[in-house]
Amino acid sequence: MNHIAFDALNPAQLYEKVLPVMEEKAMKNRRKVFLAAVMAGVFIGLGFVYCAMANVAGAGKIVGGLVFSLGLMLVVVCGGDLFTSSTLTLIPRAHGSVTWRQVFANWGVVYVGNFVGSILLVMIVLLSGHPWESGGNVALFYINTTAHKLDHTFVEAVFLGIL
């Protein structure tokens, strides 16, 4: 009988694996962090552009979600820094190997870099004329998605983000 190996780590093993990675992240050169964060902001935005194109083409939300994940794959493969993963620098802070100043400095640089990357992509998208493709349906998708996200209460938005 064939057995499938599943090499999952228990919480203590996972902690030992993540700790040095997050220590390095918290202490990384700020210029490199900023560039990696800008790149990640662009990549996540590209995932949404792909999602919009799939939805406007009639492929639906499932396909839209699948192509959105391409943005995350680009972040991982190309070594981008997203704010969401930077919050894991709390692990070395809890361990005492980095300071609050290092944690917050990393968070600030990554957050601003993600924002700059996303704004850069918005400018490229607008200058390309992409939103007006398909008779303006792409622009309508962007507007409707934004309007829908603004309808949530703060608590709903937090828990939707967790989901």
Side-chain angles (χ1 to χ4, degrees):
M1 181 185 291
N2 291 334
H3 292 283
I4 298 173
F6 185 67
D7 296 331
L9 302 176
N10 67 39
Q13 293 168 320
L14 185 59
Y15 172 82
E16 293 300 321
K17 285 258 191 201
V18 170
L19 179 62
V21 174
M22 290 300 117
E23 284 174 344
E24 183 180 333
K25 184 185 262 291
M27 295 187 262
K28 198 157 99 176
N29 175 287
R30 300 288 176 239
R31 183 175 298 147
K32 289 181 181 179
V33 169
F34 181 75
L35 292 175
V38 169
M39 190 171 61
V42 170
F43 291 156
I44 288 297
L46 281 175
F48 184 65
V49 169
Y50 304 149
C51 175
M53 291 168 42
N55 276 277
V56 169
K61 288 186 176 186
I62 292 175
V63 173
L66 289 171
V67 295
F68 176 80
S69 67
L70 292 173
L72 286 171
M73 289 181 219
L74 284 168
V75 171
V76 172
V77 170
C78 297
D81 271 326
L82 281 175
F83 180 77
T84 50
S85 64
S86 292
T87 59
L88 283 174
T89 55
L90 284 173
I91 292 171
R93 176 61 209 125
H95 182 260
S97 53
V98 299
T99 65
W100 279 115
R101 183 177 181 171
Q102 289 170 307
V103 168
F104 289 135
N106 176 267
W107 288 5
V109 170
V110 172
Y111 193 87
V112 169
N114 288 168
F115 180 76
V116 168
S118 65
I119 294 301
L120 178 65
L121 181 65
V122 166
M123 290 174 19
I124 292 168
V125 165
L126 288 174
L127 291 171
S128 75
H130 160 73
W132 295 274
E133 292 176 3
S134 299
N137 285 329
V138 175
L140 287 175
F141 180 84
Y142 290 143
I143 291 166
N144 290 334
T145 301
T146 303
H148 178 70
K149 290 184 179 297
L150 293 174
D151 284 340
H152 299 301
T153 67
F154 177 77
V155 172
E156 289 171 338
V158 168
F159 283 96
L160 282 168
I162 291 169
L163 288 174

